[in-house]
Amino acid sequence: MSVNYPTKIPIFPLSGVIFFPTTNLPLNIFEERYLSMVNESLKSNSLIGMVQSVEIGGKIFQIGCLGKIDTHSKTDDGRILINLLGLSRFKINNEVKNQKPYREFNVDYNEFKKDLNPSEYKLNENILKELILNSKKFFDKQGIAINWGQLSKLKKFQQIYTLAMICPISINEKQKLLEIVELSEIANTLNKIIQISFYEDLSEKNSIQ
């Protein structure tokens, strides 16, 4: 299956946020440069790339996800509320010099060709069951309420992607998950990150005692 997405795209860098194909990402746009980006995108193909920003001036990670603005509304105070529907992950090749207030990059999608049809990703069912079980414990311990019934209605790859997006873990851990190609490995890695957090919490308790 060939990739027909544009190779030059506007980028919205946002720290602590990852985004996967087939998932939804609601955004509240209020900065002038990104208002300009959204308005220009809506006039053309409605496509925007999301990338995590690094905590060092202006730098961004090299893997992100392309999204399509499928709904938008403008508020009385000048903001734009949008929903991005995830299409495909991409790798940044280089930045494009432009005269626009926002940044554009040349990207390619070849590494993530299966994102066009996520059901092609193989999944170890036992890993998913273990991930859900550990996630319930982890989110409960963090005081985060999740509608697990609604999550279970999603397709299995969407369940994994959603958990990766909302899990309260570090920027680097989130990026690690985004950069993994295979679905089972994403689930396995997230499960290990959660399990490590259990050990760290136990170690902290023991050191306090």
Side-chain angles (χ1 to χ4, degrees):
M1 189 180 295
S2 61
V3 177
N4 295 315
Y5 299 133
T7 55
K8 185 179 82 169
I9 59 173
I11 291 290
F12 187 2
L14 197 58
S15 179
V17 175
I18 58 170
F19 180 45
F20 282 92
T22 75
T23 65
N24 292 287
L25 181 64
L27 293 170
N28 177 11
I29 310 298
F30 55 88
E31 284 189 55
E32 285 298 327
R33 54 183 166 169
Y34 298 125
L35 288 170
S36 174
M37 179 185 70
V38 168
N39 281 319
E40 288 298 314
S41 177
L42 288 169
K43 291 175 185 176
S44 57
N45 54 21
S46 297
L47 299 177
I48 291 175
M50 292 296 302
V51 175
Q52 278 207 107
S53 56
V54 183
E55 294 176 342
I56 303 172
K59 291 187 178 180
I60 59 175
F61 287 99
Q62 297 303 296
I63 303 294
C65 187
L66 183 70
K68 185 177 182 67
I69 303 172
D70 62 355
T71 63
H72 72 280
S73 61
K74 298 186 178 183
T75 65
D76 292 339
D77 58 2
R79 293 175 293 122
I80 304 179
L81 308 178
I82 67 173
N83 183 74
L84 281 182
L85 174 63
L87 299 177
S88 174
R89 285 172 288 174
F90 58 77
K91 181 177 182 180
I92 288 175
N93 290 329
N94 59 279
E95 185 162 4
V96 177
K97 292 184 179 180
N98 63 26
Q99 302 300 314
K100 300 174 182 179
Y102 53 88
R103 301 167 73 184
E104 293 178 299
F105 292 81
N106 287 318
V107 303
D108 74 66
Y109 308 89
N110 291 327
E111 191 173 344
F112 303 101
K113 287 181 179 178
K114 288 184 186 176
D115 281 0
L116 294 172
N117 185 14
S119 59
E120 290 183 6
Y121 286 119
K122 294 179 181 178
L123 176 62
N124 184 315
E125 297 285 344
N126 291 329
I127 291 177
L128 177 59
K129 289 177 183 177
E130 187 177 352
L131 173 61
I132 296 293
L133 180 64
N134 285 329
S135 294
K136 286 180 178 179
K137 296 176 184 176
F138 184 59
F139 279 79
D140 184 58
K141 188 166 60 176
Q142 297 292 324
I144 300 173
I146 301 294
N147 189 328
W148 297 102
Q150 283 297 112
L151 185 78
S152 68
K153 294 177 183 178
L154 300 176
K155 293 180 179 178
K156 289 171 183 176
F157 60 82
Q158 290 175 316
Q159 292 182 44
I160 293 168
Y161 289 162
T162 300
L163 287 173
M165 288 171 63
I166 65 177
C167 196
I169 55 179
S170 73
I171 289 172
N172 287 329
E173 287 169 331
K174 281 184 176 289
Q175 189 63 30
K176 182 177 182 180
L177 295 173
L178 185 67
E179 294 181 3
I180 297 171
V181 176
E182 293 298 329
L183 185 66
S184 278
E185 188 56 30
I186 294 173
N188 191 44
T189 301
L190 178 56
N191 193 41
K192 287 179 179 178
I193 290 170
I194 290 172
Q195 287 175 321
I196 288 170
S197 78
F198 292 153
Y199 294 131
E200 287 175 346
D201 288 347
L202 184 61
S203 177
E204 268 185 41
K205 284 181 183 177
N206 290 338
S207 65
I208 291 172
Q209 292 171 352

mmCIF file of all heavy atoms in Angstrom, residues 126-161:
data_model
loop_
_atom_site.group_PDB
_atom_site.id
_atom_site.type_symbol
_atom_site.label_atom_id
_atom_site.label_comp_id
_atom_site.label_asym_id
_atom_site.label_seq_id
_atom_site.Cartn_x
_atom_site.Cartn_y
_atom_site.Cartn_z
ATOM 1 N N ASN A 126 -1.926 -12.155 25.147
ATOM 2 C CA ASN A 126 -1.556 -12.230 26.561
ATOM 3 C C ASN A 126 -0.906 -10.935 27.038
ATOM 4 O O ASN A 126 -1.108 -10.516 28.181
ATOM 5 C CB ASN A 126 -0.614 -13.412 26.803
ATOM 6 C CG ASN A 126 -1.310 -14.744 26.632
ATOM 7 O OD1 ASN A 126 -2.507 -14.861 26.899
ATOM 8 N ND2 ASN A 126 -0.577 -15.754 26.181
ATOM 9 N N ILE A 127 -0.128 -10.311 26.143
ATOM 10 C CA ILE A 127 0.510 -9.037 26.498
ATOM 11 C C ILE A 127 -0.560 -7.970 26.724
ATOM 12 O O ILE A 127 -0.483 -7.181 27.668
ATOM 13 C CB ILE A 127 1.502 -8.593 25.404
ATOM 14 C CG1 ILE A 127 2.718 -9.519 25.381
ATOM 15 C CG2 ILE A 127 1.957 -7.145 25.627
ATOM 16 C CD1 ILE A 127 3.717 -9.198 24.279
ATOM 17 N N LEU A 128 -1.580 -7.952 25.864
ATOM 18 C CA LEU A 128 -2.650 -6.969 26.015
ATOM 19 C C LEU A 128 -3.383 -7.172 27.338
ATOM 20 O O LEU A 128 -3.658 -6.204 28.059
ATOM 21 C CB LEU A 128 -3.635 -7.063 24.849
ATOM 22 C CG LEU A 128 -4.854 -6.134 24.925
ATOM 23 C CD1 LEU A 128 -4.417 -4.677 25.003
ATOM 24 C CD2 LEU A 128 -5.781 -6.355 23.736
ATOM 25 N N LYS A 129 -3.708 -8.417 27.667
ATOM 26 C CA LYS A 129 -4.413 -8.691 28.920
ATOM 27 C C LYS A 129 -3.583 -8.242 30.123
ATOM 28 O O LYS A 129 -4.108 -7.625 31.063
ATOM 29 C CB LYS A 129 -4.718 -10.192 29.030
ATOM 30 C CG LYS A 129 -5.791 -10.672 28.068
ATOM 31 C CD LYS A 129 -5.994 -12.180 28.182
ATOM 32 C CE LYS A 129 -7.025 -12.667 27.170
ATOM 33 N NZ LYS A 129 -7.181 -14.146 27.216
ATOM 34 N N GLU A 130 -2.292 -8.544 30.091
ATOM 35 C CA GLU A 130 -1.416 -8.150 31.199
ATOM 36 C C GLU A 130 -1.284 -6.632 31.273
ATOM 37 O O GLU A 130 -1.274 -6.051 32.362
ATOM 38 C CB GLU A 130 -0.036 -8.792 31.027
ATOM 39 C CG GLU A 130 0.876 -8.566 32.223
ATOM 40 C CD GLU A 130 2.213 -9.278 32.077
ATOM 41 O OE1 GLU A 130 2.374 -10.073 31.128
ATOM 42 O OE2 GLU A 130 3.100 -9.005 32.910
ATOM 43 N N LEU A 131 -1.203 -5.972 30.099
ATOM 44 C CA LEU A 131 -1.100 -4.515 30.062
ATOM 45 C C LEU A 131 -2.346 -3.866 30.670
ATOM 46 O O LEU A 131 -2.233 -2.921 31.458
ATOM 47 C CB LEU A 131 -0.909 -4.027 28.625
ATOM 48 C CG LEU A 131 -0.959 -2.513 28.421
ATOM 49 C CD1 LEU A 131 0.152 -1.820 29.214
ATOM 50 C CD2 LEU A 131 -0.858 -2.173 26.931
ATOM 51 N N ILE A 132 -3.523 -4.358 30.310
ATOM 52 C CA ILE A 132 -4.764 -3.804 30.847
ATOM 53 C C ILE A 132 -4.812 -3.977 32.362
ATOM 54 O O ILE A 132 -5.157 -3.042 33.108
ATOM 55 C CB ILE A 132 -6.001 -4.468 30.203
ATOM 56 C CG1 ILE A 132 -6.066 -4.162 28.698
ATOM 57 C CG2 ILE A 132 -7.274 -4.023 30.901
ATOM 58 C CD1 ILE A 132 -6.317 -2.723 28.349
ATOM 59 N N LEU A 133 -4.446 -5.155 32.834
ATOM 60 C CA LEU A 133 -4.466 -5.445 34.276
ATOM 61 C C LEU A 133 -3.532 -4.509 35.035
ATOM 62 O O LEU A 133 -3.920 -3.898 36.045
ATOM 63 C CB LEU A 133 -4.072 -6.905 34.515
ATOM 64 C CG LEU A 133 -4.051 -7.378 35.969
ATOM 65 C CD1 LEU A 133 -5.452 -7.314 36.571
ATOM 66 C CD2 LEU A 133 -3.491 -8.795 36.063
ATOM 67 N N ASN A 134 -2.303 -4.376 34.547
ATOM 68 C CA ASN A 134 -1.327 -3.517 35.223
ATOM 69 C C ASN A 134 -1.693 -2.036 35.092
ATOM 70 O O ASN A 134 -1.449 -1.250 36.009
ATOM 71 C CB ASN A 134 0.078 -3.767 34.670
ATOM 72 C CG ASN A 134 0.675 -5.062 35.173
ATOM 73 O OD1 ASN A 134 0.384 -5.496 36.289
ATOM 74 N ND2 ASN A 134 1.493 -5.705 34.359
ATOM 75 N N SER A 135 -2.284 -1.671 33.954
ATOM 76 C CA SER A 135 -2.689 -0.279 33.756
ATOM 77 C C SER A 135 -3.783 0.119 34.742
ATOM 78 O O SER A 135 -3.778 1.234 35.269
ATOM 79 C CB SER A 135 -3.179 -0.060 32.318
ATOM 80 O OG SER A 135 -2.141 -0.227 31.388
ATOM 81 N N LYS A 136 -4.716 -0.781 34.988
ATOM 82 C CA LYS A 136 -5.789 -0.492 35.944
ATOM 83 C C LYS A 136 -5.197 -0.204 37.325
ATOM 84 O O LYS A 136 -5.605 0.754 38.004
ATOM 85 C CB LYS A 136 -6.766 -1.677 36.014
ATOM 86 C CG LYS A 136 -7.679 -1.789 34.806
ATOM 87 C CD LYS A 136 -8.627 -2.976 34.934
ATOM 88 C CE LYS A 136 -9.565 -3.048 33.727
ATOM 89 N NZ LYS A 136 -10.478 -4.204 33.797
ATOM 90 N N LYS A 137 -4.236 -1.003 37.746
ATOM 91 C CA LYS A 137 -3.583 -0.797 39.044
ATOM 92 C C LYS A 137 -2.813 0.520 39.053
ATOM 93 O O LYS A 137 -2.872 1.293 40.013
ATOM 94 C CB LYS A 137 -2.620 -1.958 39.350
ATOM 95 C CG LYS A 137 -3.285 -3.302 39.514
ATOM 96 C CD LYS A 137 -2.226 -4.379 39.724
ATOM 97 C CE LYS A 137 -2.842 -5.773 39.788
ATOM 98 N NZ LYS A 137 -1.790 -6.833 39.907
ATOM 99 N N PHE A 138 -2.107 0.784 37.950
ATOM 100 C CA PHE A 138 -1.250 1.968 37.857
ATOM 101 C C PHE A 138 -2.080 3.251 37.862
ATOM 102 O O PHE A 138 -1.794 4.195 38.607
ATOM 103 C CB PHE A 138 -0.408 1.876 36.577
ATOM 104 C CG PHE A 138 0.580 3.004 36.414
ATOM 105 C CD1 PHE A 138 1.564 3.234 37.365
ATOM 106 C CD2 PHE A 138 0.535 3.820 35.296
ATOM 107 C CE1 PHE A 138 2.484 4.260 37.207
ATOM 108 C CE2 PHE A 138 1.445 4.850 35.129
ATOM 109 C CZ PHE A 138 2.423 5.071 36.085
ATOM 110 N N PHE A 139 -3.131 3.291 37.045
ATOM 111 C CA PHE A 139 -3.968 4.485 36.976
ATOM 112 C C PHE A 139 -4.702 4.710 38.302
ATOM 113 O O PHE A 139 -4.866 5.848 38.734
ATOM 114 C CB PHE A 139 -4.968 4.371 35.825
ATOM 115 C CG PHE A 139 -4.389 4.706 34.485
ATOM 116 C CD1 PHE A 139 -3.617 3.789 33.794
ATOM 117 C CD2 PHE A 139 -4.610 5.948 33.906
ATOM 118 C CE1 PHE A 139 -3.076 4.092 32.560
ATOM 119 C CE2 PHE A 139 -4.076 6.262 32.664
ATOM 120 C CZ PHE A 139 -3.301 5.335 31.987
ATOM 121 N N ASP A 140 -5.130 3.628 38.934
ATOM 122 C CA ASP A 140 -5.811 3.742 40.218
ATOM 123 C C ASP A 140 -4.865 4.333 41.266
ATOM 124 O O ASP A 140 -5.256 5.214 42.047
ATOM 125 C CB ASP A 140 -6.309 2.364 40.668
ATOM 126 C CG ASP A 140 -7.114 2.443 41.951
ATOM 127 O OD1 ASP A 140 -8.124 3.167 41.976
ATOM 128 O OD2 ASP A 140 -6.722 1.784 42.930
ATOM 129 N N LYS A 141 -3.623 3.867 41.263
ATOM 130 C CA LYS A 141 -2.631 4.372 42.214
ATOM 131 C C LYS A 141 -2.300 5.837 41.965
ATOM 132 O O LYS A 141 -2.022 6.596 42.889
ATOM 133 C CB LYS A 141 -1.354 3.523 42.108
ATOM 134 C CG LYS A 141 -0.338 3.835 43.184
ATOM 135 C CD LYS A 141 0.742 2.765 43.252
ATOM 136 C CE LYS A 141 1.489 2.658 41.955
ATOM 137 N NZ LYS A 141 2.609 1.696 42.023
ATOM 138 N N GLN A 142 -2.395 6.249 40.697
ATOM 139 C CA GLN A 142 -2.120 7.644 40.339
ATOM 140 C C GLN A 142 -3.344 8.540 40.558
ATOM 141 O O GLN A 142 -3.275 9.750 40.370
ATOM 142 C CB GLN A 142 -1.697 7.732 38.867
ATOM 143 C CG GLN A 142 -0.408 7.002 38.526
ATOM 144 C CD GLN A 142 0.816 7.646 39.156
ATOM 145 O OE1 GLN A 142 0.898 8.862 39.266
ATOM 146 N NE2 GLN A 142 1.779 6.831 39.563
ATOM 147 N N GLY A 143 -4.477 7.939 40.919
ATOM 148 C CA GLY A 143 -5.694 8.707 41.136
ATOM 149 C C GLY A 143 -6.332 9.181 39.844
ATOM 150 O O GLY A 143 -7.039 10.191 39.820
ATOM 151 N N ILE A 144 -6.101 8.430 38.749
ATOM 152 C CA ILE A 144 -6.639 8.798 37.438
ATOM 153 C C ILE A 144 -7.807 7.872 37.104
ATOM 154 O O ILE A 144 -7.651 6.648 37.066
ATOM 155 C CB ILE A 144 -5.554 8.698 36.349
ATOM 156 C CG1 ILE A 144 -4.397 9.638 36.681
ATOM 157 C CG2 ILE A 144 -6.128 9.036 34.975
ATOM 158 C CD1 ILE A 144 -3.194 9.485 35.762
ATOM 159 N N ALA A 145 -8.974 8.466 36.875
ATOM 160 C CA ALA A 145 -10.171 7.680 36.574
ATOM 161 C C ALA A 145 -10.271 7.418 35.074
ATOM 162 O O ALA A 145 -10.192 8.346 34.269
ATOM 163 C CB ALA A 145 -11.417 8.411 37.059
ATOM 164 N N ILE A 146 -10.399 6.177 34.704
ATOM 165 C CA ILE A 146 -10.516 5.766 33.306
ATOM 166 C C ILE A 146 -11.806 4.957 33.136
ATOM 167 O O ILE A 146 -12.141 4.123 33.982
ATOM 168 C CB ILE A 146 -9.312 4.889 32.876
ATOM 169 C CG1 ILE A 146 -8.006 5.651 33.055
ATOM 170 C CG2 ILE A 146 -9.470 4.422 31.435
ATOM 171 C CD1 ILE A 146 -7.848 6.852 32.161
ATOM 172 N N ASN A 147 -12.510 5.217 32.056
ATOM 173 C CA ASN A 147 -13.694 4.421 31.747
ATOM 174 C C ASN A 147 -13.229 3.163 31.007
ATOM 175 O O ASN A 147 -13.124 3.148 29.785
ATOM 176 C CB ASN A 147 -14.669 5.232 30.882
ATOM 177 C CG ASN A 147 -16.008 4.533 30.709
ATOM 178 O OD1 ASN A 147 -16.078 3.295 30.678
ATOM 179 N ND2 ASN A 147 -17.077 5.308 30.587
ATOM 180 N N TRP A 148 -12.943 2.127 31.767
ATOM 181 C CA TRP A 148 -12.389 0.906 31.180
ATOM 182 C C TRP A 148 -13.396 0.202 30.286
ATOM 183 O O TRP A 148 -13.021 -0.490 29.337
ATOM 184 C CB TRP A 148 -11.884 -0.021 32.284
ATOM 185 C CG TRP A 148 -10.765 0.594 33.061
ATOM 186 C CD1 TRP A 148 -10.835 1.171 34.297
ATOM 187 C CD2 TRP A 148 -9.407 0.739 32.622
ATOM 188 N NE1 TRP A 148 -9.605 1.657 34.658
ATOM 189 C CE2 TRP A 148 -8.716 1.402 33.668
ATOM 190 C CE3 TRP A 148 -8.717 0.358 31.469
ATOM 191 C CZ2 TRP A 148 -7.353 1.698 33.576
ATOM 192 C CZ3 TRP A 148 -7.358 0.658 31.381
ATOM 193 C CH2 TRP A 148 -6.699 1.317 32.415
ATOM 194 N N GLY A 149 -14.677 0.372 30.580
ATOM 195 C CA GLY A 149 -15.709 -0.217 29.727
ATOM 196 C C GLY A 149 -15.674 0.376 28.330
ATOM 197 O O GLY A 149 -15.764 -0.351 27.333
ATOM 198 N N GLN A 150 -15.525 1.698 28.262
ATOM 199 C CA GLN A 150 -15.446 2.366 26.967
ATOM 200 C C GLN A 150 -14.167 1.980 26.239
ATOM 201 O O GLN A 150 -14.169 1.759 25.028
ATOM 202 C CB GLN A 150 -15.492 3.891 27.149
ATOM 203 C CG GLN A 150 -16.879 4.437 27.434
ATOM 204 C CD GLN A 150 -17.831 4.181 26.284
ATOM 205 O OE1 GLN A 150 -18.776 3.394 26.403
ATOM 206 N NE2 GLN A 150 -17.612 4.830 25.158
ATOM 207 N N LEU A 151 -13.060 1.895 26.994
ATOM 208 C CA LEU A 151 -11.783 1.514 26.383
ATOM 209 C C LEU A 151 -11.877 0.133 25.752
ATOM 210 O O LEU A 151 -11.368 -0.098 24.651
ATOM 211 C CB LEU A 151 -10.665 1.549 27.418
ATOM 212 C CG LEU A 151 -9.259 1.281 26.877
ATOM 213 C CD1 LEU A 151 -8.709 2.521 26.177
ATOM 214 C CD2 LEU A 151 -8.305 0.829 27.988
ATOM 215 N N SER A 152 -12.574 -0.787 26.432
ATOM 216 C CA SER A 152 -12.670 -2.171 25.946
ATOM 217 C C SER A 152 -13.462 -2.278 24.653
ATOM 218 O O SER A 152 -13.356 -3.282 23.936
ATOM 219 C CB SER A 152 -13.292 -3.071 27.014
ATOM 220 O OG SER A 152 -14.657 -2.733 27.215
ATOM 221 N N LYS A 153 -14.264 -1.257 24.340
ATOM 222 C CA LYS A 153 -15.053 -1.261 23.106
ATOM 223 C C LYS A 153 -14.219 -0.871 21.882
ATOM 224 O O LYS A 153 -14.642 -1.073 20.743
ATOM 225 C CB LYS A 153 -16.251 -0.316 23.240
ATOM 226 C CG LYS A 153 -17.271 -0.775 24.272
ATOM 227 C CD LYS A 153 -18.400 0.241 24.416
ATOM 228 C CE LYS A 153 -19.397 -0.168 25.487
ATOM 229 N NZ LYS A 153 -20.462 0.846 25.665
ATOM 230 N N LEU A 154 -13.046 -0.285 22.134
ATOM 231 C CA LEU A 154 -12.168 0.100 21.033
ATOM 232 C C LEU A 154 -11.506 -1.123 20.425
ATOM 233 O O LEU A 154 -11.413 -2.182 21.059
ATOM 234 C CB LEU A 154 -11.085 1.064 21.529
ATOM 235 C CG LEU A 154 -11.544 2.391 22.143
ATOM 236 C CD1 LEU A 154 -10.328 3.165 22.666
ATOM 237 C CD2 LEU A 154 -12.306 3.219 21.123
ATOM 238 N N LYS A 155 -11.029 -0.982 19.204
ATOM 239 C CA LYS A 155 -10.229 -2.051 18.608
ATOM 240 C C LYS A 155 -8.967 -2.237 19.439
ATOM 241 O O LYS A 155 -8.513 -1.302 20.109
ATOM 242 C CB LYS A 155 -9.891 -1.702 17.161
ATOM 243 C CG LYS A 155 -11.121 -1.676 16.261
ATOM 244 C CD LYS A 155 -10.759 -1.319 14.828
ATOM 245 C CE LYS A 155 -12.011 -1.316 13.941
ATOM 246 N NZ LYS A 155 -11.711 -0.939 12.548
ATOM 247 N N LYS A 156 -8.385 -3.403 19.390
ATOM 248 C CA LYS A 156 -7.275 -3.720 20.282
ATOM 249 C C LYS A 156 -6.083 -2.795 20.080
ATOM 250 O O LYS A 156 -5.437 -2.358 21.037
ATOM 251 C CB LYS A 156 -6.871 -5.188 20.105
ATOM 252 C CG LYS A 156 -7.934 -6.121 20.674
ATOM 253 C CD LYS A 156 -7.693 -7.569 20.334
ATOM 254 C CE LYS A 156 -8.845 -8.421 20.875
ATOM 255 N NZ LYS A 156 -8.713 -9.837 20.501
ATOM 256 N N PHE A 157 -5.786 -2.454 18.826
ATOM 257 C CA PHE A 157 -4.655 -1.550 18.612
ATOM 258 C C PHE A 157 -4.966 -0.153 19.142
ATOM 259 O O PHE A 157 -4.076 0.552 19.629
ATOM 260 C CB PHE A 157 -4.232 -1.507 17.137
ATOM 261 C CG PHE A 157 -5.288 -1.055 16.168
ATOM 262 C CD1 PHE A 157 -5.539 0.300 15.967
ATOM 263 C CD2 PHE A 157 -6.026 -1.977 15.432
ATOM 264 C CE1 PHE A 157 -6.499 0.718 15.062
ATOM 265 C CE2 PHE A 157 -6.994 -1.560 14.531
ATOM 266 C CZ PHE A 157 -7.238 -0.206 14.346
ATOM 267 N N GLN A 158 -6.250 0.249 19.095
ATOM 268 C CA GLN A 158 -6.633 1.551 19.639
ATOM 269 C C GLN A 158 -6.529 1.570 21.167
ATOM 270 O O GLN A 158 -6.193 2.607 21.757
ATOM 271 C CB GLN A 158 -8.048 1.908 19.203
ATOM 272 C CG GLN A 158 -8.169 2.234 17.724
ATOM 273 C CD GLN A 158 -9.606 2.474 17.296
ATOM 274 O OE1 GLN A 158 -10.507 1.725 17.682
ATOM 275 N NE2 GLN A 158 -9.824 3.501 16.503
ATOM 276 N N GLN A 159 -6.814 0.438 21.793
ATOM 277 C CA GLN A 159 -6.667 0.356 23.250
ATOM 278 C C GLN A 159 -5.221 0.608 23.656
ATOM 279 O O GLN A 159 -4.940 1.366 24.595
ATOM 280 C CB GLN A 159 -7.115 -1.018 23.746
ATOM 281 C CG GLN A 159 -8.601 -1.290 23.602
ATOM 282 C CD GLN A 159 -8.996 -2.645 24.151
ATOM 283 O OE1 GLN A 159 -8.564 -3.044 25.232
ATOM 284 N NE2 GLN A 159 -9.823 -3.370 23.413
ATOM 285 N N ILE A 160 -4.304 -0.023 22.927
ATOM 286 C CA ILE A 160 -2.879 0.134 23.240
ATOM 287 C C ILE A 160 -2.419 1.558 22.969
ATOM 288 O O ILE A 160 -1.735 2.181 23.785
ATOM 289 C CB ILE A 160 -2.051 -0.887 22.437
ATOM 290 C CG1 ILE A 160 -2.367 -2.300 22.923
ATOM 291 C CG2 ILE A 160 -0.551 -0.596 22.570
ATOM 292 C CD1 ILE A 160 -1.839 -3.401 22.037
ATOM 293 N N TYR A 161 -2.812 2.095 21.821
ATOM 294 C CA TYR A 161 -2.427 3.465 21.479
ATOM 295 C C TYR A 161 -2.976 4.459 22.506
ATOM 296 O O TYR A 161 -2.286 5.392 22.927
ATOM 297 C CB TYR A 161 -2.959 3.838 20.093
ATOM 298 C CG TYR A 161 -2.276 3.151 18.927
ATOM 299 C CD1 TYR A 161 -2.885 3.104 17.673
ATOM 300 C CD2 TYR A 161 -1.028 2.560 19.066
ATOM 301 C CE1 TYR A 161 -2.271 2.489 16.592
ATOM 302 C CE2 TYR A 161 -0.414 1.932 17.999
ATOM 303 C CZ TYR A 161 -1.036 1.904 16.761
ATOM 304 O OH TYR A 161 -0.422 1.299 15.693
#
